[in-house]
Amino acid sequence: MTTKSIPLTDELHAYLVAHGSPPDEIIRDLADETRSVLPEHATMQVAPEQAAFLTFLTRLLDARQAVEVGTFTGLSSLAIARGLPEGGRLTCFDISEEFTGIARRYWDRAGVQDRIDLRIGPAGDRLRELPQERYLDFAFIDADKTGYPIYWAELVPRMRPGGVIAVDNVLRGGRVIAPRDVSDRAIAAFNDEVLADVRVDPVMLPIADGLTLARVR
């Protein structure tokens, strides 16, 4: 089967970002601070085109109730919150007060802090605090890779029919084909789990490090 996908050079990536909802000053400042203050963790931040896509997708779904697992310094949550309508709510789960302390400042600066409920603690436990009914419109998973099956198990039953779960880092830099470590193997197994899950219709996209979108039936 032939493919029309092309590799992205730095120049082509810059063109892509510039021509698809380019980052505003708040997003640029957040990305810069994350790289400056947390250089060893900066790759945990979503790519700028992902941030734009998350806002777009949240609006497209007309999402009012959203969940994020793995907040880090807040770029993805900021993007999702910006896509919510007035009265919309994003519940974020993370284990780090340090990282999310940065996030809080940028949520405030962007004027979306009133839409976000941040819950600190192990997401596998805290997700169980959510209502049991199918009420979520959108969910984004981007946390510890070995925990993905746990988060998936908690979220799928809570998604409304037609709701969408987005899962980041599903390609692991290409290593899902030949896993090298525990996280690589966990994602490879998780991808197989999603593919076999009859409750969803999944599609895997080559955005950044791979993004799976799963529409819940």
Side-chain angles (χ1 to χ4, degrees), residues 73-115:
T73 58
L75 179 51
S76 53
S77 50
L78 172 58
I80 295 168
R82 280 179 162 177
L84 295 173
E86 184 176 352
R89 198 71 178 163
L90 170 63
T91 305
C92 294
F93 297 90
D94 202 280
I95 59 172
S96 174
E97 292 278 8
E98 177 190 2
F99 296 162
T100 57
I102 297 174
R104 289 181 188 273
R105 287 195 284 106
Y106 283 89
W107 296 340
D108 184 68
R109 181 174 164 187
V112 297
Q113 73 282 0
D114 60 330
R115 306 177 191 179

Coordinates of all heavy atoms in Angstrom, one line a residue, residues 73-115:
T73 N 2.4 21.3 32.8 CA 2.4 22.7 33.0 C 1.2 23.4 32.4 O 1.1 24.7 32.4 CB 3.7 23.4 32.6 OG1 3.9 23.1 31.2 CG2 4.9 22.9 33.4
G74 N 0.3 22.7 31.8 CA -1.0 23.2 31.5 C -1.3 23.6 30.1 O -2.4 24.2 29.8
L75 N -0.4 23.3 29.1 CA -0.7 23.7 27.8 C -2.0 23.0 27.2 O -2.8 23.7 26.6 CB 0.5 23.5 26.9 CG 0.3 23.9 25.4 CD1 -0.2 25.3 25.3 CD2 1.6 23.7 24.6
S76 N -2.0 21.7 27.3 CA -3.2 21.0 26.8 C -4.5 21.4 27.5 O -5.5 21.5 26.9 CB -3.0 19.5 26.9 OG -2.6 19.1 28.2
S77 N -4.4 21.6 28.8 CA -5.7 21.9 29.5 C -6.1 23.4 29.1 O -7.3 23.6 29.0 CB -5.4 21.9 31.0 OG -4.3 22.5 31.4
L78 N -5.1 24.2 29.0 CA -5.5 25.6 28.5 C -6.1 25.5 27.1 O -7.2 26.2 26.9 CB -4.2 26.4 28.4 CG -4.2 27.8 27.7 CD1 -5.2 28.7 28.5 CD2 -2.9 28.4 27.7
A79 N -5.6 24.7 26.2 CA -6.2 24.5 24.9 C -7.6 24.0 25.0 O -8.5 24.5 24.3 CB -5.3 23.6 24.0
I80 N -7.8 23.0 25.8 CA -9.2 22.4 25.9 C -10.1 23.4 26.5 O -11.3 23.5 26.1 CB -9.1 21.1 26.7 CG1 -8.3 20.0 26.0 CG2 -10.5 20.5 27.0 CD1 -7.9 18.8 26.9
A81 N -9.7 24.0 27.6 CA -10.6 25.0 28.3 C -11.0 26.1 27.4 O -12.1 26.6 27.4 CB -9.9 25.6 29.5
R82 N -10.1 26.5 26.5 CA -10.5 27.6 25.5 C -11.5 27.1 24.5 O -12.3 28.0 24.0 CB -9.2 28.0 24.8 CG -8.3 29.0 25.5 CD -7.1 29.4 24.7 NE -6.5 30.6 25.3 CZ -5.4 31.1 24.8 NH1 -4.7 30.5 23.7 NH2 -4.9 32.2 25.3
G83 N -11.7 25.8 24.3 CA -12.7 25.3 23.4 C -14.0 25.1 24.1 O -15.0 24.9 23.4
L84 N -14.1 25.2 25.4 CA -15.4 25.0 26.1 C -16.3 26.2 26.0 O -15.8 27.3 26.0 CB -15.1 24.6 27.5 CG -14.4 23.3 27.8 CD1 -14.0 23.3 29.3 CD2 -15.2 22.1 27.4
P85 N -17.6 26.0 25.9 CA -18.5 27.1 26.0 C -18.6 27.7 27.4 O -18.1 27.1 28.3 CB -19.8 26.5 25.5 CG -19.7 25.1 26.0 CD -18.3 24.7 25.8
E86 N -19.3 28.8 27.5 CA -19.6 29.3 28.9 C -20.4 28.3 29.7 O -21.3 27.7 29.2 CB -20.4 30.6 28.8 CG -20.7 31.2 30.1 CD -21.4 32.6 30.0 OE1 -21.6 33.0 28.8 OE2 -21.8 33.1 31.0
G87 N -19.9 28.0 30.9 CA -20.5 27.0 31.7 C -19.9 25.6 31.5 O -20.2 24.7 32.3
G88 N -19.0 25.5 30.6 CA -18.3 24.2 30.4 C -17.3 23.9 31.5 O -16.9 24.8 32.2
R89 N -16.9 22.6 31.7 CA -16.1 22.2 32.8 C -15.0 21.2 32.4 O -15.4 20.2 31.7 CB -17.0 21.6 33.9 CG -16.3 21.6 35.3 CD -16.2 23.0 35.8 NE -15.6 23.0 37.2 CZ -15.1 24.0 37.7 NH1 -15.1 25.2 37.1 NH2 -14.5 24.0 38.9
L90 N -13.8 21.5 32.7 CA -12.7 20.6 32.5 C -12.1 20.1 33.8 O -11.7 20.9 34.7 CB -11.6 21.2 31.7 CG -10.3 20.5 31.6 CD1 -10.4 19.2 30.8 CD2 -9.2 21.4 30.9
T91 N -12.1 18.8 34.1 CA -11.6 18.2 35.3 C -10.2 17.7 35.0 O -10.1 16.8 34.1 CB -12.5 17.1 35.9 OG1 -13.8 17.7 36.1 CG2 -11.9 16.6 37.2
C92 N -9.2 18.2 35.6 CA -7.8 17.7 35.3 C -7.3 16.9 36.5 O -7.5 17.2 37.7 CB -6.9 19.0 35.2 SG -7.3 20.0 33.7
F93 N -6.5 15.9 36.1 CA -5.9 15.0 37.1 C -4.4 15.0 36.9 O -3.9 14.8 35.8 CB -6.4 13.6 37.0 CG -7.9 13.4 37.2 CD1 -8.8 13.6 36.2 CD2 -8.4 13.2 38.5 CE1 -10.2 13.5 36.5 CE2 -9.7 13.1 38.8 CZ -10.6 13.2 37.7
D94 N -3.6 15.2 38.0 CA -2.2 15.2 37.9 C -1.6 14.9 39.3 O -2.4 15.1 40.3 CB -1.6 16.5 37.4 CG -0.2 16.4 36.8 OD1 0.8 16.4 37.6 OD2 -0.1 16.3 35.6
I95 N -0.4 14.5 39.4 CA 0.2 14.2 40.7 C 1.2 15.3 41.2 O 1.7 15.2 42.3 CB 0.9 12.8 40.7 CG1 2.1 12.8 39.7 CG2 -0.1 11.7 40.4 CD1 2.9 11.6 39.7
S96 N 1.5 16.3 40.4 CA 2.5 17.2 40.7 C 2.0 18.6 41.0 O 1.4 19.3 40.2 CB 3.5 17.4 39.6 OG 4.5 18.4 39.8
E97 N 2.2 19.1 42.3 CA 1.8 20.5 42.6 C 2.8 21.4 42.0 O 2.4 22.5 41.6 CB 1.9 20.6 44.2 CG 0.8 19.9 44.9 CD -0.5 20.6 45.0 OE1 -0.6 21.7 44.3 OE2 -1.4 20.2 45.7
E98 N 4.1 21.0 41.8 CA 5.1 21.9 41.2 C 4.7 22.2 39.7 O 4.7 23.4 39.4 CB 6.4 21.2 41.2 CG 7.5 22.0 40.5 CD 8.8 21.2 40.4 OE1 8.9 20.0 40.7 OE2 9.8 21.8 39.8
F99 N 4.5 21.2 39.0 CA 4.2 21.4 37.5 C 2.9 22.2 37.4 O 2.8 23.1 36.6 CB 4.1 20.1 36.8 CG 5.4 19.3 36.8 CD1 5.4 17.9 36.5 CD2 6.6 19.9 37.0 CE1 6.6 17.2 36.4 CE2 7.8 19.2 37.0 CZ 7.8 17.9 36.7
T100 N 1.8 21.7 38.1 CA 0.5 22.4 37.9 C 0.5 23.8 38.5 O -0.4 24.5 38.2 CB -0.6 21.5 38.5 OG1 -0.3 21.2 39.9 CG2 -0.7 20.2 37.8
G101 N 1.5 24.1 39.4 CA 1.6 25.5 39.9 C 1.8 26.4 38.7 O 1.3 27.6 38.7
I102 N 2.6 26.0 37.8 CA 2.8 26.8 36.5 C 1.5 26.9 35.7 O 1.1 28.0 35.3 CB 4.0 26.2 35.7 CG1 5.3 26.2 36.5 CG2 4.1 26.9 34.4 CD1 6.4 25.5 35.8
A103 N 0.9 25.8 35.6 CA -0.4 25.7 34.9 C -1.4 26.7 35.4 O -2.1 27.4 34.6 CB -1.0 24.3 34.9
R104 N -1.5 26.8 36.7 CA -2.5 27.6 37.3 C -2.3 29.1 36.9 O -3.3 29.8 36.7 CB -2.5 27.5 38.9 CG -3.1 26.2 39.4 CD -3.0 26.2 40.9 NE -3.3 24.9 41.5 CZ -4.6 24.5 41.8 NH1 -5.6 25.3 41.5 NH2 -4.8 23.3 42.4
R105 N -1.1 29.5 36.9 CA -0.8 30.9 36.6 C -1.2 31.2 35.1 O -1.7 32.3 34.9 CB 0.7 31.2 36.7 CG 1.2 31.3 38.2 CD 2.6 31.9 38.3 NE 3.6 30.9 37.9 CZ 4.3 31.0 36.8 NH1 4.0 31.9 35.9 NH2 5.3 30.1 36.6
Y106 N -1.0 30.3 34.2 CA -1.4 30.5 32.8 C -2.9 30.4 32.6 O -3.4 31.1 31.8 CB -0.5 29.7 31.9 CG 0.9 30.2 31.7 CD1 1.9 29.8 32.6 CD2 1.2 31.1 30.8 CE1 3.2 30.3 32.5 CE2 2.4 31.7 30.6 CZ 3.4 31.2 31.5 OH 4.7 31.8 31.4
W107 N -3.5 29.5 33.4 CA -5.0 29.5 33.3 C -5.6 30.8 33.7 O -6.5 31.3 33.1 CB -5.5 28.4 34.2 CG -5.1 27.0 33.8 CD1 -4.7 26.5 32.6 CD2 -5.1 25.8 34.7 NE1 -4.4 25.2 32.7 CE2 -4.7 24.7 34.0 CE3 -5.5 25.6 36.1 CZ2 -4.6 23.4 34.5 CZ3 -5.3 24.4 36.6 CH2 -4.9 23.3 35.8
D108 N -5.0 31.3 34.8 CA -5.5 32.6 35.3 C -5.3 33.7 34.2 O -6.1 34.6 34.0 CB -4.8 33.0 36.6 CG -5.3 34.3 37.2 OD1 -6.5 34.3 37.6 OD2 -4.6 35.2 37.3
R109 N -4.1 33.7 33.7 CA -3.7 34.7 32.7 C -4.6 34.7 31.4 O -5.0 35.7 30.9 CB -2.3 34.6 32.3 CG -1.8 35.6 31.2 CD -0.3 35.4 31.0 NE 0.1 36.1 29.8 CZ 1.4 36.0 29.3 NH1 2.3 35.3 29.9 NH2 1.7 36.7 28.2
A110 N -5.0 33.4 31.1 CA -5.9 33.2 29.9 C -7.3 33.4 30.2 O -8.2 33.4 29.3 CB -5.6 31.8 29.3
G111 N -7.7 33.6 31.5 CA -9.1 33.8 31.9 C -9.9 32.5 31.8 O -11.1 32.6 31.7
V112 N -9.3 31.3 32.0 CA -10.1 30.1 31.9 C -10.1 29.3 33.2 O -10.6 28.2 33.3 CB -9.5 29.2 30.8 CG1 -9.7 29.8 29.4 CG2 -8.1 28.8 31.0
Q113 N -9.5 29.9 34.3 CA -9.3 29.2 35.5 C -10.7 28.8 36.1 O -10.8 27.8 36.8 CB -8.6 30.1 36.6 CG -9.3 31.3 37.1 CD -9.4 32.4 36.2 OE1 -8.9 32.4 35.1 NE2 -10.0 33.5 36.7
D114 N -11.8 29.5 35.8 CA -13.1 29.2 36.4 C -13.7 28.0 35.7 O -14.7 27.4 36.2 CB -14.0 30.4 36.2 CG -14.2 30.8 34.8 OD1 -13.3 30.7 34.0 OD2 -15.3 31.3 34.5
R115 N -13.1 27.5 34.6 CA -13.6 26.4 33.9 C -12.9 25.1 34.3 O -13.3 24.0 33.9 CB -13.5 26.5 32.4 CG -14.1 27.8 31.8 CD -13.8 27.9 30.4 NE -14.1 29.2 29.9 CZ -14.0 29.6 28.6 NH1 -13.5 28.8 27.7 NH2 -14.3 30.8 28.2

